Amino acid sequence: AMMLCLDKFNCKAVLTASGLPVPAGWLARSPEAEIPDCIQYPVIVKPNREDASLGINAGSVIGDRNSLKKQIQSVIRRYDQPALVEAFIPHREFNAAVWENGRGPEVLAVQEIDFSSMPSGEPRICGYEAKWFEDHPLYRSTVPVCPAPLEPAVQRKIESISLEAFQALGCRDYARVDFRMDAEGKLYILEVNPNPDVSRNAGFARALGVAGIDYTDFWLALIRRALTRKETE
């Protein structure tokens, strides 16, 4: 599951085969790759095998063919791996924390990234600077809201898709599923992270708090599950 989810393009293929919604995507395997004519802009370009938003910044969102060619070349040469070109969904962003509670996986809480204070001209994304540098203006402009203000039907849809994705990719114990929603309300899975940040100030810990689960109890449950597996394997 760890290896599969790290490969964004293959992960998208498994999710698609499972009937789950993902943005349209294309994998550029070389700097000279010919860009398909069917690509519709805007798109976002990402290193295919990185996590933690590495390689994602304001220049990742592309609006024309010439800029796309340059960004593909930059990503491939800098990160020494294919570049994933994906339809950019320019609306709301959510993530759902999933964990196995002994009875099966459940969604703890859905969190939304509030982009309302993002500086003018910046794409509404949670890139590397916004995610990790607390003194960066983009960090302060991507405020997490947990629980997200959602209509009940949308909440149920996110929970349902999250659980299906968790199982389709072979995740266990805990994971995070990231989403975008377009202006018409359609949801798309951006990625599934089987090993998300679970430090005390991270979004997963925030979701635990909303669910009323003590942080120490969460870790004790994970350890007990691991020990149980060791005894039975």
Side-chain angles (χ1 to χ4, degrees):
M2 295 282 287
M3 292 178 66
L4 175 59
C5 291
L6 184 62
D7 188 319
K8 294 177 173 60
F9 190 71
N10 284 340
C11 180
K12 284 167 63 74
V14 172
L15 293 171
T16 299
S18 301
L20 297 171
V22 299
W26 167 66
L27 193 64
R29 300 181 185 276
S30 78
E32 293 75 31
E34 185 64 30
I35 298 172
D37 293 333
C38 61
I39 286 183
Q40 297 183 4
Y41 299 91
V43 294
I44 184 168
V45 183
K46 313 171 183 178
N48 187 55
R49 294 191 302 270
E50 297 292 347
D51 58 8
S53 292
L54 188 65
I56 299 176
N57 51 52
S60 300
V61 179
I62 306 296
D64 63 85
R65 187 182 184 89
N66 288 337
S67 299
L68 175 57
K69 184 71 173 178
K70 293 177 182 177
Q71 188 66 14
I72 288 171
Q73 292 172 346
S74 174
V75 166
I76 292 176
R77 288 167 179 161
R78 180 170 184 178
Y79 296 98
D80 193 27
Q81 60 185 277
L84 176 63
V85 179
E86 200 169 58
F88 179 61
I89 314 298
H91 199 45
R92 300 174 73 181
E93 181 166 329
F94 307 99
N95 60 72
V98 183
W99 88 308
E100 292 187 275
N101 59 12
R103 302 181 299 274
E106 69 170 328
V107 176
L108 296 174
V110 177
Q111 179 170 262
E112 180 169 8
I113 306 301
D114 180 4
F115 295 113
S116 61
S117 59
M118 183 73 77
S120 177
E122 290 285 341
R124 271 48 178 169
I125 60 173
C126 194
Y128 191 75
E129 294 89 349
K131 186 170 286 187
W132 298 111
F133 296 103
E134 295 186 14
D135 58 347
H136 198 286
L138 294 180
Y139 184 95
R140 298 190 293 271
S141 303
T142 51
V143 180
V145 179
C146 187
L150 293 169
E151 295 291 330
V154 177
Q155 174 85 21
R156 291 192 295 269
K157 186 70 172 177
I158 291 176
E159 291 177 353
S160 174
I161 294 174
S162 298
L163 295 176
E164 289 185 60
F166 184 93
Q167 294 171 324
L169 293 165
C171 299
R172 71 183 186 192
D173 296 328
Y174 66 100
R176 191 190 70 235
V177 185
D178 297 346
F179 291 87
R180 277 272 181 163
M181 175 192 281
D182 67 16
E184 285 71 46
K186 183 174 180 179
L187 292 161
Y188 299 86
I189 299 174
L190 292 185
E191 66 176 76
V192 178
N193 189 340
N195 185 34
D197 185 358
V198 288
S199 56
R200 285 188 179 273
N201 63 344
F204 201 99
R206 193 176 299 113
L208 289 169
V210 169
I213 299 170
D214 181 78
Y215 186 73
T216 302
D217 290 342
F218 165 73
W219 279 106
L220 288 172
L222 291 186
I223 293 166
R224 291 190 185 104
R225 287 177 60 82
L227 290 172
T228 300
R229 283 196 297 268
K230 181 175 176 61
E231 292 171 357
T232 57
E233 289 177 351

